Amino acid sequence: MGNEASAEGGPARSNSPPPPRIELPLRDFTLSELRKYDGTNPIEELDGIKAIYLAVNFVVFDVTAGKAFYGPGGGYNCFAGRDASRGLAKMEFVTRDGWDELLDLAPDERQSMLSWEERFRDKYIVRGTLVKEESP
């Protein structure tokens, strides 16, 4: 029982109840806006919850319910508040700081990324779209 694996591949954890599901309208997020949703900052529009968002294939997901994996100290924490597309596509725990068009992904990497996007759509709330920062 205590050693069951989760969908993310790590040990199942249920130390605390999931955060309440707060409905918000979909919105656009730039990379800099997404960064504040890394699980360490209370988010005002979410009643102070330290929400965790990440993006896959330009779709922003609320993965707060998976905070054992994506929150501080979690095995996938490097993706919190970031574009996780390339890292998940390549199965590497690496993210880029700047905008990534993902144009150089190999077909199998692109398919891997799309599979992750599908899993996230099935499990987590979509909060919006990752968009490129406007040039001044």
Side-chain angles (χ1 to χ4, degrees):
M1 267 189 225
N3 294 330
E4 294 174 350
S6 71
E8 278 83 10
R13 297 184 201 173
S14 59
N15 297 348
S16 59
R21 185 178 182 115
I22 298 174
E23 298 299 329
L24 296 172
L26 295 177
R27 59 169 277 217
D28 291 343
F29 292 85
T30 62
L31 287 169
S32 60
E33 291 169 331
L34 184 61
R35 290 294 292 146
K36 74 178 183 175
Y37 295 87
D38 66 356
T40 64
N41 303 301
I43 306 298
E44 186 177 325
E45 67 265 22
L46 294 172
D47 297 332
I49 292 171
K50 294 180 180 179
I52 307 165
Y53 291 7
L54 59 79
V56 179
N57 196 28
F58 309 106
V59 179
V60 175
F61 295 95
D62 181 341
V63 298
T64 308
K67 69 181 175 183
F69 302 102
Y70 303 103
Y76 291 82
N77 177 252
C78 63
F79 298 133
R82 311 195 49 109
D83 180 1
S85 303
R86 181 170 296 274
L88 293 172
K90 293 180 166 283
M91 297 307 298
E92 299 174 350
F93 292 99
V94 176
T95 58
R96 290 187 176 180
D97 286 329
W99 182 256
D100 189 350
E101 293 286 346
L102 306 168
L103 298 175
D104 63 335
L105 292 178
D108 62 320
E109 293 168 339
R110 182 162 297 284
Q111 185 55 50
S112 177
M113 178 189 65
L114 294 174
S115 294
W116 277 101
E117 178 188 358
E118 185 177 324
R119 281 184 227 149
F120 280 87
R121 283 185 184 277
D122 288 343
K123 189 168 186 173
Y124 298 111
I125 302 166
V126 173
R127 291 295 190 195
T129 303
L130 185 64
V131 298
K132 195 170 188 176
E133 310 252 358
E134 292 185 22
S135 299

